[in-house]
Amino acid sequence: QVQLVESGGGLVQTGGSLRLSCAASGRTFSTRTMAWFRQPPGKEREFVGARSWSGTSPYYADSVKGRFDISRDNAKNTLYLQMNRLKPEDTAVYYCAARRPSGGAAYLTSTYDYWGQGTQVTVSS
């Protein structure tokens, strides 16, 4: 079992920045893939980006590429999402997700085994 807790959401103006954190506990290990998804108001959950605990480089959705950055701190079992140059369309509940080692596509929600409770990000225009 793995537990995920997101934090760092809040209200920010267009063009501003926020850093989200995802603290993992339980049966964690360094090779597991972690990801960020988001769900805008009235819309379906969508992929933001993913990164393994070790090895591979981050993988991002085109909508956030160049603005968002995923980093990790293995010693703290924590994944971060640095969000820069935020836009109103970035407003959403942001979720952290984790999965066991897999060769499947990292952007598919169905491939993830564990989810956090979500944290709200609101970008004012």
Side-chain angles (χ1 to χ4, degrees), residues 2-5 10 20 23-24 26-27 30 39-41 43 46 48 53 70 76 84 89 102 107 114 124:
V2 174
Q3 294 80 45
L4 305 173
V5 180
L20 306 183
R27 295 175 56 84
S30 62
Q39 188 165 13
K43 298 181 180 180
E46 64 184 30
V48 175
W53 287 111
I70 297 174
K76 294 183 172 65
N84 301 311
E89 51 263 45
S102 172
Y107 57 84
Y114 308 103
S124 61

Side-chain angles (χ1 to χ4, degrees), residues 28-125:
T28 60
F29 54 92
S30 62
T31 58
R32 184 149 39 208
T33 298
M34 303 287 290
W36 290 97
F37 291 80
R38 67 186 184 186
Q39 188 165 13
K43 298 181 180 180
E44 298 296 316
R45 191 172 299 180
E46 64 184 30
F47 175 76
V48 175
R51 188 171 190 170
S52 65
W53 287 111
S54 63
T56 59
S57 299
Y59 169 61
Y60 303 100
D62 288 341
S63 60
V64 305
K65 194 175 298 180
R67 298 189 297 120
F68 290 13
D69 182 65
I70 297 174
S71 60
R72 63 191 180 221
D73 187 331
N74 288 13
K76 294 183 172 65
N77 288 325
T78 301
L79 192 78
Y80 302 97
L81 179 65
Q82 178 66 48
M83 304 183 292
N84 301 311
R85 293 182 281 119
L86 284 160
K87 306 172 182 179
E89 51 263 45
D90 294 319
T91 295
V93 176
Y94 282 72
Y95 296 92
C96 180
R99 70 182 188 184
R100 298 181 178 93
S102 172
Y107 57 84
L108 296 175
T109 60
S110 61
T111 67
Y112 289 84
D113 303 295
Y114 308 103
W115 294 84
Q117 83 289 348
T119 186
Q120 176 71 233
V121 172
T122 302
V123 184
S124 61
S125 58

